[in-house]
């Protein structure tokens, strides 16, 4: 009997659009997880357990209480099981996952002020309760079959112990798509959270993450704060043994190619090039996340113009920003500040030198990635940063990549111009160099980046984890 794959995550692979007659039509969901796992779940028996995020999800959860169902998206059929977290959802997602955990794991706190311990206890209880609901759905799917449980990301850090108690022999893997931090930084979280999270990690057979440095930080937290004992990349406590490793996560080249060849992408490309109007095209495409460092990128661009005002007539900076997590006040404020900063640059240097669009138009993002002369992606910290791989894979213009050395992708994309995300001057230098790079150097770097971007397809990434899980279970 083939092993059943059970994936559990906050955001699932399908979202629902309401028709004029009130019905709901499934479509492929957004985000990096579907890129990573969408293919695998269609090639083998499996269920994707996720949390109901929007009205359509809640309608589907109500129509299929405590059971899995199939959804055909036009880009694949998924077996889904939806968990409706009700009133607990807001605290679990906005307060704990996207604020306390995200800000800690990306080192985003302005420390004299935050984190400040507001309403932690209740929010943490809600987070654990939602994790338990997901764990119960996973248990129901795993009972009585040979299953592999693939928990995804920082939303589900405390689900494993509940699963382990119900199914002691369960094969449990957790993949963390964010960075991880050193124990000193991790301890900014309240002790009760630190303990709960370390217990969650210890209940897994394998914990995966996207860069060696973060795997080391995970192990350090488990040893220094959790009392574990390290045996190379395995951490043991009484009764638990967890392998902690890094895996390279690459892009879905076939899926991207399909979008790139679509009429929608072709039309978007024409439009973008018309807007650039023959100028050198600098692109960024990101969620409006504080970790993406959009403001410092804008400051660096302005420094370039201050140093060489002629470039204001020669360059077009096009930002495609996908509004993200607008339920969190800091995210709303950040988006407003990015827009205000961009408006300021346009006022000072002319409207043609910069355009900021807030959009969720994926074919337009793909078109921009095909066309750029320079791609800027300067996150403060980023688990992988798929854009830094998708860009070079799609680009047919010998485009130059300016990338933070603190993105997981930097470990493989060595021919990018690597920058310190906090150093605006250095980013300005890198942008200037990229915008004026001689053709031969552009072409050499672009070729090497394309080869690097082809490494670690989602299938390879998953196969490597499954092999490591088998290894973890052998000892
Ligand atoms: O980087 C972590 C991550 O979970 C990605 O896998 C995903 O694309 C992104 O965050 C999206 O977050 P959200 O589901 O909150 O929009």
């Amino acid at each position: 009997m083939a092993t059943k794959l059970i994936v559990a995550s906050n955001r699932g692979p399908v979202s629902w659009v309401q028709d004029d007659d009130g019905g709901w039509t499934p479509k492929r969901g957004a985000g990096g997880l579907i890129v990573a796992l969408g293919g695998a779940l269609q090639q083998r028996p499996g269920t994707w357990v996720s949390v109901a995020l929007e009205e359509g999800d809640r309608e589907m959860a109500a129509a299929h209480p405590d059971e899995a169902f199939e959804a055909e998206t036009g880009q694949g059929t998924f077996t889904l099981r939806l968990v409706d977290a009700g009133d607990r959802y807001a605290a679990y997602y906005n307060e704990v996952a996207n604020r306390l955990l995200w800000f800690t794991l990306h080192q985003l706190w302005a420390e004299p002020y935050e984190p400040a311990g507001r309403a932690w206890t209740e929010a943490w209880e809600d987070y654990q309760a939602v994790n338990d609901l997901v764990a119960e759905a996973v248990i129901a799917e795993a009972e009585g079959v040979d299953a592999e449980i693939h928990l995804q990301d920082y939303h589900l850090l405390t689900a494993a112990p509940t699963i382990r108690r119900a199914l002691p022999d369960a094969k449990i893997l957790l993949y963390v798509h964010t960075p991880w931090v050193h124990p000193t930084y991790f301890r900014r979280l309240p002790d009760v959270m630190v303990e709960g999270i370390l217990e969650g990690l210890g209940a897994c057979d394998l914990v995966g993450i996207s860069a060696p440095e973060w795997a080391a930080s995970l192990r350090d937290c488990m040893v220094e704060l959790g009392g574990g004992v390290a045996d190379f990349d395995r951490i043991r406590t009484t009764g638990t043994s967890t392998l902690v490793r890094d895996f390279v996560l690459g892009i879905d080249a076939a899926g991207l190619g399909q979008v790139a060849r679509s009429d929608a992408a072709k039309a978007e490309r024409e439009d973008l090039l018309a807007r650039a109007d023959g100028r050198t095209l600098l692109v960024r495409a990101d969620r409006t996340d504080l970790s993406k460092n959009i403001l410092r990128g804008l400051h660096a661009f302005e420094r370039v113009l201050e140093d060489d005002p002629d470039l204001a007539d020669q360059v077009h900076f096009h930002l495609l920003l996908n509004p993200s997590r607008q339920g969190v006040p800091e995210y709303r404020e950040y988006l407003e500040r990015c827009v205000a900063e961009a408006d300021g640059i346009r006022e000072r240097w002319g409207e043609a030198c910069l355009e900021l669009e807030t959009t969720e138009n994926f074919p337009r993002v793909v078109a921009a990635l095909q066309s750029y002369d320079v791609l800027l992606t300067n996150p403060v910290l980023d688990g992988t940063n798929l854009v830094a791989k998708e860009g070079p894979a799609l680009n047919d213009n010998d485009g130059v990549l300016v990338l933070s050395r603190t993105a997981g992708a930097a470990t493989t994309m060595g021919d990018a111009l690597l920058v310190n995300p906090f150093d605006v001057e250095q980013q300005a230098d890198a942008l200037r160099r990229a915008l004026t790079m001689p053709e031969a150097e552009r072409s050499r770097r672009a070729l090497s980046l394309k080869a690097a971007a082809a490494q670690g397809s989602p299938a390879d990434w998953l196969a490597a984890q499954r092999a490591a899980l088998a290894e973890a279970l052998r000892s």
Side-chain angles (χ1 to χ4, degrees):
M1 186 175 63
T3 303
K4 177 176 176 182
L5 210 59
I6 302 173
V7 172
S9 63
N10 174 60
R11 188 179 290 279
V14 178
S15 63
W16 276 266
V17 190
Q18 192 155 29
D19 316 325
D20 293 340
D21 60 5
W24 294 94
T25 303
K27 69 168 184 113
R28 189 184 197 267
L33 282 185
I34 176 123
V35 175
L37 287 154
L41 267 203
Q42 287 169 59
Q43 280 152 24
R44 55 174 44 251
T47 304
W48 195 316
V49 176
S50 63
V51 184
L53 312 185
E54 290 161 358
E55 199 193 335
D57 303 308
R58 286 192 287 275
E59 291 283 334
M60 293 305 130
H64 304 278
D66 302 326
E67 64 178 18
F69 63 99
E70 295 220 327
E72 158 57 43
T73 65
Q75 287 172 278
T77 304
F78 291 94
T79 305
L80 307 175
R81 186 169 175 133
L82 279 166
V83 172
D84 189 344
D87 292 349
R88 293 189 183 273
Y89 183 75
Y92 144 84
Y93 182 65
N94 289 328
E95 191 57 30
V96 178
N98 287 342
R99 215 168 162 274
L100 285 174
L101 290 173
W102 186 268
F103 278 48
T104 300
L105 296 175
H106 293 83
Q107 303 188 22
L108 294 175
W109 297 116
E111 298 204 341
Y113 309 102
E114 297 274 7
R118 289 190 308 256
W120 274 349
T121 317
E122 269 178 48
W124 178 240
E125 278 169 13
D126 287 335
Y127 177 91
Q128 289 175 295
V130 176
N131 270 253
D132 282 347
L133 287 175
V134 171
E136 281 155 23
V138 167
I139 293 162
E141 288 296 316
E143 250 164 355
V145 296
D146 176 34
E148 257 178 39
I149 298 164
H150 291 235
L151 303 174
Q152 300 298 310
D153 236 346
Y154 59 100
H155 311 88
L156 298 181
L157 294 178
T158 66
T162 309
I163 301 170
R164 180 69 69 210
R165 278 191 287 277
L167 302 172
D169 296 329
K171 301 174 211 168
I172 310 178
L173 175 168
L174 167 73
Y175 197 89
V176 182
H177 292 263
T178 62
W180 202 268
V181 288
H182 189 270
T184 317
Y185 200 90
F186 193 62
R187 293 188 81 178
R188 280 154 181 72
L189 290 172
D191 292 358
V192 62
M193 280 183 71
V194 170
E195 282 158 25
I197 291 167
L198 292 173
E199 187 195 347
L201 299 175
C204 299
D205 298 298
L206 171 69
V207 176
I209 198 156
S210 305
E213 184 190 335
W214 302 329
S217 289
L218 269 165
R219 290 191 289 265
D220 288 347
C221 284
M222 293 170 82
V223 171
E224 289 177 32
L225 309 177
V229 175
D231 173 7
F232 297 103
D233 49 7
R234 190 182 300 273
I235 307 295
R236 298 183 201 277
T237 63
T238 319
T240 74
S241 166
T242 307
L243 198 58
V244 182
R245 280 208 184 144
D246 60 287
F247 300 87
V248 173
L249 172 57
I251 56 170
D252 170 18
L256 280 177
Q258 220 177 336
V259 180
R261 288 187 296 275
S262 69
D263 290 344
K266 284 180 194 147
E268 297 294 353
R269 190 167 190 183
E270 238 173 70
D271 181 68
L272 282 167
L273 292 176
R275 281 161 193 266
D277 196 19
R279 291 164 173 244
T280 305
L281 180 60
L282 167 62
V283 163
R284 96 168 291 148
D286 274 314
R287 286 186 303 109
T288 56
D289 196 299
L290 287 82
S291 68
K292 302 292 181 187
N293 211 15
I294 298 163
L295 275 180
R296 285 195 190 87
L298 286 166
H299 294 155
F301 180 62
E302 187 147 34
R303 287 293 296 129
V304 172
L305 299 184
E306 281 163 357
D307 283 352
D308 187 351
D310 289 349
L311 284 177
D313 297 324
Q314 295 162 22
V315 176
H316 176 77
F317 186 9
H318 207 103
L319 295 92
L320 295 169
L321 302 182
N322 180 357
S324 182
R325 304 176 186 166
Q326 294 296 295
V328 183
E330 284 91 340
Y331 279 76
R332 289 198 296 273
E333 191 190 320
Y334 192 69
L335 176 53
E336 278 168 23
R337 285 189 61 178
C338 292
V339 171
E341 197 68 34
D343 286 347
I345 295 176
R346 281 159 64 89
E347 253 167 54
R348 184 169 171 203
W349 299 99
E351 299 204 339
C353 78
L354 183 147
E355 189 171 349
L356 182 154
E357 281 182 60
T358 49
T359 176
E360 285 187 57
N361 181 342
F362 191 56
R364 191 159 177 82
V365 169
V366 167
L369 295 180
Q370 289 177 293
S371 315
Y372 66 80
D373 292 294
V374 179
L375 175 65
L376 171 63
T377 171
N378 62 331
V380 169
L381 272 178
D382 208 333
T384 297
N385 196 290
L386 284 177
V387 173
K389 298 186 177 189
E390 290 169 344
L394 284 165
N395 189 265
D396 54 19
N397 197 26
D398 285 348
V400 185
L401 174 65
V402 177
L403 172 66
S404 278
R405 63 188 186 203
T406 46
T411 54
T412 48
M413 307 298 282
D415 263 306
L417 300 184
L418 294 178
V419 293
N420 172 348
F422 299 102
D423 187 340
V424 172
E425 290 299 326
Q426 193 193 54
Q427 284 165 66
D429 285 346
L431 283 179
R432 202 175 301 110
R433 189 172 157 208
L435 290 165
T436 56
M437 189 176 278
E439 190 46 54
E441 185 181 353
R442 278 172 64 112
S443 145
R444 180 190 63 73
R445 285 178 184 269
L447 204 65
S448 139
L449 287 171
K450 244 184 219 309
Q455 286 175 32
S457 69
D460 294 345
W461 169 76
L462 186 65
Q465 287 174 75
R466 299 192 68 209
L469 180 61
E471 185 187 329
L473 292 165
R474 275 199 298 275
S475 59

